[in-house]
Amino acid sequence: LLTAEEAHLIMCSEPELDFEDLRRGAHLEGYNPTEPYIQSFWQVLREFDVVQKKKFLAFVTGSDRAPFGGLHEVHLAVQKNDQEPTDRLPTAHTCFKLLDLPTYASTEKLREKLLTAIDNSEGFGLE
């Protein structure tokens, strides 16, 4: 049997979107976790407001909610995909929780391209 708190978490998800927890559970492909570009990527995500964080989660997972147990349970994969010069947007494969992330020349371009991608994502079109 579940406690009332456990049932609430299952039904409503984790209340806080802790992107440091998301980082702890993430896997990088083609990037080194200590390289400045990836550090900038995580900093950009941490600076997102709650609405932007929910949009990012929906973009990469298909759901804007944290799973039971926390965001490390997402097991996000961030894969290197293209580099400058590029105007490609980051793309996501929600079934695999995979983010294809180009390497941009600046943190500002990274922020701009991420926001453009998440703001213009349609997901599955379900309401």
Side-chain angles (χ1 to χ4, degrees), residues 79-94:
Q79 179 173 275
K80 188 180 235 181
N81 182 29
D82 210 0
Q83 59 189 18
E84 290 286 18
T86 186
D87 282 324
R88 293 181 68 174
L89 293 173
T91 55
H93 307 272
T94 57

Side-chain angles (χ1 to χ4, degrees), residues 5-18:
E5 181 181 352
E6 290 169 333
H8 178 76
L9 285 174
I10 289 171
M11 297 295 290
C12 300
S13 81
E14 293 285 338
E16 187 177 322
L17 297 178
D18 179 1

Side-chain angles (χ1 to χ4, degrees), residues 35-113:
E35 70 183 272
Y37 184 74
I38 288 300
Q39 297 300 314
S40 294
F41 166 72
W42 291 114
Q43 185 62 37
V44 165
L45 292 182
R46 282 191 298 271
E47 291 171 357
F48 279 180
D49 62 31
V50 173
V51 171
Q52 292 167 327
K53 286 180 178 182
K54 285 184 172 202
K55 284 182 178 181
F56 178 80
L57 276 182
F59 179 67
V60 296
T61 70
S63 173
D64 66 354
R65 296 178 180 215
F68 182 68
L71 284 175
H72 69 275
E73 296 292 338
V74 169
H75 302 291
L76 176 68
V78 179
Q79 179 173 275
K80 188 180 235 181
N81 182 29
D82 210 0
Q83 59 189 18
E84 290 286 18
T86 186
D87 282 324
R88 293 181 68 174
L89 293 173
T91 55
H93 307 272
T94 57
C95 292
F96 303 104
K97 298 175 181 104
L98 171 66
L99 176 67
D100 286 330
L101 183 66
T103 304
Y104 301 111
S106 69
T107 301
E108 192 50 47
K109 186 172 181 180
L110 168 62
R111 179 181 291 105
E112 173 193 325
K113 295 294 186 181

